[in-house]
Amino acid sequence: MSQDRAQAVQIALTELRRAGGHQRGMAARLARTHGGGASTWERAVTDARAKYAAELGADSEAQRPAPQPE
């Protein structure tokens, strides 16, 4: 992943966290705010959504009680 792409993913991930998840038009809004093509931001948001989902999954796993031995 290029430096620019990694930075775009980080920006998108920050936006996802701030918004509490994906919102329609997020990639277009990021393109207007930060410049660059819409397709670049669509890919960045897609990658960031995967990371965000993994973070949420890790958080829910951490909060689950340990299984009891039978």
Side-chain angles (χ1 to χ4, degrees), residues 47-69:
D47 290 350
R49 286 177 74 180
K51 287 185 177 191
Y52 184 71
E55 287 177 2
L56 292 179
D59 286 345
S60 65
E61 288 293 324
Q63 294 175 0
R64 287 188 184 159
Q68 299 299 318

Side-chain angles (χ1 to χ4, degrees), residues 9-47:
V9 171
Q10 278 305 117
I11 291 169
L13 185 55
T14 300
E15 182 66 15
L16 284 169
R17 289 176 183 144
R18 185 196 63 74
H22 182 261
Q23 295 177 345
R24 186 174 180 175
M26 186 176 282
R29 188 170 58 251
L30 289 169
R32 283 191 305 271
T33 303
H34 298 282
S39 62
T40 299
W41 284 103
E42 288 169 7
R43 286 190 301 272
V45 168
T46 298
D47 290 350

